[in-house]
Amino acid sequence: MNGFYKRYVKRIMDFLLSLIAIIVLSPILLVVAILVRVKLGGPVIFKQERPGLNEKIFMMYKFRTMTDERDENGELLPDSVRLTKFGRILRSTSLDELPGLFNILKGDMSIIGPRPLLVQYLPLYNAHQKRRHDVRPGLSGLAQISGRNAISWEDKFSLDVEYVANVSFIGDWKIILLTIKKVFVREGINSETAATMEPFKGTKKKRVEI
C-alpha cells in the first residue's frame, strides 16, 4: 500500500494541494512580494540550483531574505549581516518558502520530503546520506519538524533517510500538521551558532580501533 502511495498517489496529492495553496494564498504571495521588493530590493525571488530526485538538478524558488551587501573587495558580507530583521521574520514564519509551491506544482519537489540542499554538498555525502535523493525533496520534512536548523547535519540526514524508508500517506499528513504547528510556534529556525546553518563539510569517518 505504501509503495502504491509513494509511486502514484503522492504526486497527485502534491499537485492538487500545491495548486489549491497557490490559489488560496495568492493574496499573501502578492503582499510578501511587494514587501520584499520595497525592503530588500530586487530580484524578489531567490533562485538557486538544487539537487532533486535521483540528484537531478532543478531551479528552486524562495522569497529573497538577504541583501546583497558586499565588502570593499566585492565579496558578500556574512549571512548574519545580510539577513535583515524583515528577512528573519520571513524565515521564522516560513513565508520565504511559499514560492516553493510552484516547484511542487512543476514536479521538482514534493510537499513532504528531505529538504533540497546545495549542489556542492553532493560529493560530500556518504552512501547512507545519498539515499535522501531517492525521493523528491520537500517543502518540509521529518528533519524540519524534529528541529530544523537547530539539529546537527548528521541527525538531519538520519531523519531524511528514515523518512525515505517509511514514506506513507499517514506519515506525510502527520508531518504536514506538525509543520503547521511549528510555523506558529516558530521553533528551530536557526542553529545555535549561526544566523542560518553552518555549511556541511562532510561526515568524518569513525576510527576503528584494532
Side-chain angles (χ1 to χ4, degrees):
M1 184 64 182
N2 288 344
F4 181 80
Y5 167 72
K6 181 178 178 180
R7 180 169 296 187
Y8 302 107
V9 179
K10 185 173 172 67
R11 174 59 194 144
I12 296 173
M13 185 178 79
D14 285 337
F15 180 85
L16 292 176
L17 289 182
S18 60
L19 180 61
I20 292 170
I22 289 170
I23 294 171
V24 172
L25 299 175
S26 56
I28 296 177
L29 283 161
L30 180 60
V31 170
V32 173
I34 293 172
L35 289 174
V36 170
R37 184 68 179 86
V38 171
K39 293 180 174 294
L40 298 176
V44 170
I45 300 296
F46 171 75
K47 300 177 183 179
Q48 191 174 58
E49 289 187 335
R50 298 289 176 96
L53 177 64
N54 298 322
E55 301 184 4
K56 180 181 178 181
I57 307 301
F58 72 96
M59 191 67 72
M60 186 190 73
Y61 310 129
K62 296 177 70 172
F63 277 125
R64 180 179 182 174
T65 58
M66 293 186 184
T67 66
D68 284 331
E69 293 178 87
R70 298 174 184 270
D71 60 22
E72 61 275 9
N73 298 316
E75 299 292 330
L76 287 171
L77 294 175
D79 290 354
S80 57
V81 176
R82 296 188 297 117
L83 183 60
T84 65
K85 182 179 180 180
F86 175 67
R88 290 179 187 276
I89 291 173
L90 289 182
R91 291 191 178 204
S92 66
T93 56
S94 295
L95 288 172
D96 63 316
E97 302 284 358
L98 289 181
L101 291 169
F102 291 96
N103 285 123
I104 297 172
L105 197 66
K106 289 169 56 182
D108 297 325
M109 292 176 58
S110 179
I111 292 175
I112 302 301
R115 284 292 295 163
L117 301 176
L118 299 178
V119 174
Q120 66 207 51
Y121 293 167
L122 286 176
L124 303 178
Y125 298 137
N126 58 36
H128 178 72
Q129 294 165 349
K130 279 181 175 291
R131 292 188 58 201
R132 69 191 309 278
H133 294 292
D134 289 349
V135 297
R136 285 186 178 86
L139 202 61
S140 182
L142 187 58
Q144 281 60 54
I145 65 168
S146 302
R148 201 170 175 176
N149 285 344
I151 60 177
S152 70
W153 281 113
E154 284 70 25
D155 288 342
K156 187 179 296 186
F157 293 146
S158 292
L159 289 166
D160 287 342
V161 175
E162 179 182 336
Y163 171 80
V164 171
N166 298 284
V167 176
S168 69
F169 177 81
I170 294 176
D172 276 4
W173 274 101
K174 282 182 178 179
I175 295 174
I176 289 172
L177 295 176
L178 286 172
T179 296
I180 295 172
K181 177 184 175 183
K182 286 281 184 180
V183 168
F184 283 105
V185 175
R186 295 162 78 169
E187 291 180 341
I189 304 302
N190 299 321
S191 69
E192 294 180 352
T193 57
T196 51
M197 183 70 184
E198 298 84 357
F200 177 58
K201 298 178 181 178
T203 300
K204 294 181 180 179
K205 294 181 179 180
K206 295 181 180 180
R207 295 180 61 183
V208 180
E209 295 184 3
I210 301 175

